Amino acid sequence: MADWLERIRVLKLTKKFGSYTAVDNVTFTVRKNEFFSLLGPSGCGKTTTLRCIAGLEQPTSGEVYVGGRLVSSLEKGVMVPPERRGIGMVFQNYAVWPHMTVEQNIAYPLKIARVSKVKIRSTLSNIVDLLKLSGLEKRYPAELSGGQQQRVALGRALAMDPEVMLLDEPLSNLDAKLREQMRFELKDLQRKTGIAILYVTHDQVEAMAMSDRVAVMNGGVIIQEGTPYEIYKSPATKFVADFIGTMNFLPCEVVEWRNGCAVLRLRNGSVVRINSPEVGRGSHTLAVRPEDLLLNREKGVDCQVDVAIFLGNAVDYRVKLGDDILRVQTSADNRFEQGEKAKLEVQRGILFP
């Protein structure tokens, strides 16, 4: 893809702290108008990657480009300071100045850059409207809710019209309801401004809900990159399958593969069939989403309902299949009671060697 369409390009980025490798040969791009997330557990290297892009950490090796311009390369002797990278950054703890009002916080980077008062007033007006902060301009952070403080931090980052926005787990300090609301607002903000966003989070729901593409990280490397649909439906490894959403894992033996269908023998002796790419015979792990299991009374392997939790539009079951316990989610129209015998069909699954 042409450089002008790439707002961030990271090439073979490595960051070591002594003998510890926090980021290991990472490569990815963030495109124009794209919401891109680095997703993974604590310690996987996602925040270190973000800090290297921002210029807050110096990479051990590799290159970082922002807006087609090289901003970091130890090999080429390039290390552009953070304030000259055209980046807006929002942190987990908001980092708004407690002694400044809303408008003073947002205008602060403009004043430091000695922007004219007319331009500051115009920018303030636009950002206040965009982030729904009208009427709060004279308030101090202590007089704002968490969500309002987060909007102020976003406004300050947007004030200098950056090439890209870097967001480091910005919603983690908010309560569940406010986090959900802010997800919609962040996505709406990205749509209205057209700015490229690189978002770091350990929250899979956030990443899946807001992102155009997701890179799942673990152990300092990118395990899989793709759209949320691709990551959820076709996880490349057992780690991704386990980390994204809820997944059942069943030990099994592949006894036959023919015409795109694998015949599996489960640990309790039951036999099931799934559509699958060609695999060799022998021990595998069958990974199945709760919604890809069908609980019924007519056909399938024998099982027993252990727990049934009514969720309104669905029922979440815990089902015993021999010595294995599975999560099954079905429509609330077809109810099974705790302790009831049932049949279980595998409608879709993924085999891992």
Side-chain angles (χ1 to χ4, degrees):
M1 185 173 289
D3 286 351
W4 69 275
L5 288 178
E6 296 175 351
R7 288 294 178 256
I8 298 174
R9 182 152 51 106
V10 177
L11 296 177
K12 299 181 179 179
L13 180 71
T14 296
K15 175 60 181 177
K16 296 183 178 181
F17 297 96
S19 61
Y20 173 66
T21 302
V23 179
D24 189 5
N25 202 36
V26 163
T27 295
F28 66 92
T29 62
V30 181
R31 302 163 186 158
K32 182 180 180 181
N33 302 329
E34 185 174 45
F35 199 119
F36 187 99
S37 289
L38 293 177
L39 172 66
S42 297
C44 72
K46 56 188 185 298
T47 292
T48 302
T49 301
L50 191 83
R51 290 176 61 84
C52 288
I53 295 168
L56 303 176
E57 297 282 357
Q58 181 169 335
T60 305
S61 62
E63 297 181 348
V64 176
Y65 293 80
V66 176
R69 180 172 63 113
L70 181 64
V71 297
S72 177
S73 172
L74 188 63
E75 294 87 344
K76 296 178 181 178
V78 176
M79 186 65 181
V80 177
E83 66 274 12
R84 292 176 52 201
R85 294 194 176 196
I87 285 172
M89 190 160 181
V90 179
F91 298 93
Q92 180 177 343
N93 62 353
Y94 318 141
V96 293
W97 297 106
H99 62 287
M100 293 184 182
T101 64
V102 167
E103 62 182 9
Q104 288 170 338
N105 263 286
I106 294 173
Y108 182 73
L110 297 171
K111 289 184 177 180
I112 293 297
R114 298 188 178 184
V115 174
S116 70
K117 291 183 178 180
V118 173
K119 177 63 174 176
I120 289 175
R121 281 196 298 270
S122 173
T123 301
L124 266 174
S125 177
N126 291 336
I127 290 177
V128 164
D129 289 342
L130 179 66
L131 297 176
K132 303 173 185 176
L133 290 169
S134 298
L136 304 177
E137 294 91 337
K138 303 298 182 182
R139 292 191 186 181
Y140 289 90
E143 301 172 303
L144 304 175
S145 69
Q148 289 167 340
Q149 289 184 56
Q150 193 59 276
R151 290 193 197 102
V152 174
L154 285 166
R156 186 178 57 193
L158 285 168
M160 291 298 292
D161 192 23
E163 291 265 6
V164 296
M165 291 273 284
L166 307 182
L167 278 64
D168 187 9
E169 306 212 38
L171 308 184
S172 60
N173 287 333
L174 304 179
D175 63 50
K177 188 173 183 179
L178 198 49
R179 277 203 307 273
E180 184 177 3
Q181 177 185 335
M182 286 299 295
R183 285 178 208 142
F184 285 101
E185 294 191 8
L186 274 175
K187 188 63 181 174
D188 189 49
L189 171 68
Q190 192 261 342
R191 181 183 59 81
K192 288 178 178 177
T193 61
I195 196 168
I197 290 180
L198 176 59
Y199 192 92
V200 161
T201 183
H202 66 274
D203 188 322
Q204 54 175 287
V205 176
E206 284 183 8
M208 303 297 274
M210 295 187 293
S211 305
D212 298 305
R213 286 188 300 137
V214 178
V216 181
M217 292 189 70
N218 192 39
V221 301
I222 291 177
I223 305 297
Q224 184 175 0
E225 181 182 323
T227 66
Y229 183 86
E230 291 167 345
I231 298 286
Y232 185 82
K233 287 294 187 181
S234 303
T237 67
K238 285 176 67 176
F239 170 81
V240 176
D242 191 31
F243 189 74
I244 302 296
T246 302
M247 185 70 86
N248 297 297
F249 292 99
L250 284 169
C252 67
E253 181 183 358
V254 177
V255 296
E256 185 182 5
W257 184 89
R258 184 182 299 170
N259 299 326
C261 183
V263 180
L264 316 175
R265 181 179 290 114
L266 305 182
R267 187 156 53 181
N268 72 338
S270 300
V271 174
V272 299
R273 290 171 172 80
I274 65 166
N275 292 326
S276 170
E278 184 172 359
V279 294
R281 295 190 179 194
S283 298
H284 288 70
T285 297
L286 173 62
V288 189
R289 298 285 184 195
E291 64 269 24
D292 290 330
L293 289 167
L294 178 63
L295 201 60
N296 65 84
R297 294 180 173 88
E298 288 93 35
K299 58 180 181 177
V301 297
D302 293 329
C303 66
Q304 183 176 358
V305 175
D306 185 40
V307 177
I309 300 174
F310 181 62
L311 301 176
N313 63 335
V315 182
D316 195 354
Y317 295 99
R318 192 170 67 182
V319 172
K320 287 182 179 179
L321 185 66
D323 293 331
D324 294 307
I325 301 293
L326 306 180
R327 287 277 299 279
V328 181
Q329 293 175 352
T330 68
S331 166
D333 296 333
N334 191 18
R335 297 282 299 277
F336 291 81
E337 302 301 326
Q338 183 172 322
E340 184 177 350
K341 303 288 186 181
K343 299 284 188 180
L344 192 67
E345 282 189 274
V346 179
Q347 297 184 302
R348 184 180 185 276
I350 303 170
L351 285 173
F352 293 107

